[in-house]
């Protein structure tokens, strides 16, 4: 009987952990979605609401680019790794010129919300050929 109860508790704990991770992944994807939406609109005031204090310093620099910043046509999260209140998300984005960029975003959970923290652009950016843009799945 004790063994059955132990196994049942172990299964319930696993299910609770998986549910929590799915919830966090969904929240991270929503933050990433907002980031690209706000970047495309050049809405730096809204961007600041989803960024950590460290990332807000980068926003000030990004804002100086004005209309010279790229507009992203599409983006897709390739992977998310969560460690407590920190996460790393790899995103592949395609801008309106067909340039494909891989970004590694670091996010931090503050007050229950996932915030953009730091990013690294891939050195292996590549230009997607015009004919392959529709075929390419990112």
């Amino acid at each position: 009987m004790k063994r059955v109860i132990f196994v049942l508790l172990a299964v319930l704990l696993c299910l609770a952990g998986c549910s929590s991770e799915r919830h966090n992944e969904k929240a991270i994807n929503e933050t990433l979605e907002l980031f690209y939406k706000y970047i495309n609109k050049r809405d730096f005031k809204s961007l600041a609401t989803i960024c950590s204090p460290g990332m807000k310093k980068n926003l000030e620099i990004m804002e100086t680019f004005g209309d010279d910043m790229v507009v992203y046509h599409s983006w897709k999260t390739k992977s998310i790794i969560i460690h407590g209140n920190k996460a790393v998300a790899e995103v592949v984005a395609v801008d309106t010129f067909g340039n494909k960029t891989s970004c590694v975003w670091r996010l931090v959970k503050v007050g229950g919300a996932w915030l953009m923290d730091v990013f690294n652009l891939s050195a292996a950016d590549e230009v997607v050929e015009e004919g392959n843009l529709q075929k390419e799945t990112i």
Side-chain angles (χ1 to χ4, degrees):
M1 182 66 173
K2 288 181 184 180
R3 188 172 194 199
V4 170
I5 292 173
F6 176 75
V7 170
L8 184 59
L9 284 174
V11 168
L12 289 174
L13 286 173
C14 274
L15 290 174
C18 291
S19 175
S20 174
E21 187 165 328
R22 279 193 302 267
H23 173 74
N24 281 324
E25 286 180 2
K26 182 180 177 192
I28 288 168
N29 274 315
E30 288 171 359
T31 299
L32 292 166
E33 184 77 22
L34 287 173
F35 176 83
Y36 285 101
K37 175 183 168 185
Y38 295 152
I39 278 289
N40 283 344
K41 290 182 175 183
R42 308 303 189 257
D43 185 353
F44 292 96
K45 186 175 181 178
S46 295
L47 262 172
T49 66
I50 61 166
C51 291
S52 70
M55 184 63 181
K56 286 179 186 177
K57 293 176 186 173
N58 290 329
L59 290 182
E60 294 170 7
I61 295 168
M62 292 167 67
E63 194 169 2
T64 65
F65 297 148
D67 290 336
D68 291 335
M69 286 180 54
V70 298
V71 173
Y72 292 97
H73 169 19
S74 61
W75 51 88
K76 181 173 180 161
T77 305
K78 288 180 67 175
S79 66
I80 297 174
I81 301 169
I82 302 169
H83 294 286
N85 68 340
K86 296 185 180 199
V88 176
E90 183 179 2
V91 176
V92 175
V94 178
D95 67 27
T96 54
F97 299 107
N99 299 313
K100 184 177 174 182
T101 304
S102 179
C103 292
V104 176
W105 291 101
R106 297 193 186 283
L107 295 96
V108 62
K109 192 172 189 179
V110 177
W114 285 98
L115 303 177
M116 306 298 286
D117 195 29
V118 179
F119 69 97
N120 296 314
L121 292 176
S122 169
D125 295 350
E126 58 186 84
V127 176
V128 178
E129 294 178 17
E130 189 175 315
N132 292 336
L133 189 56
Q134 271 29 36
K135 296 177 196 173
E136 184 77 28
T137 56
I138 59 168

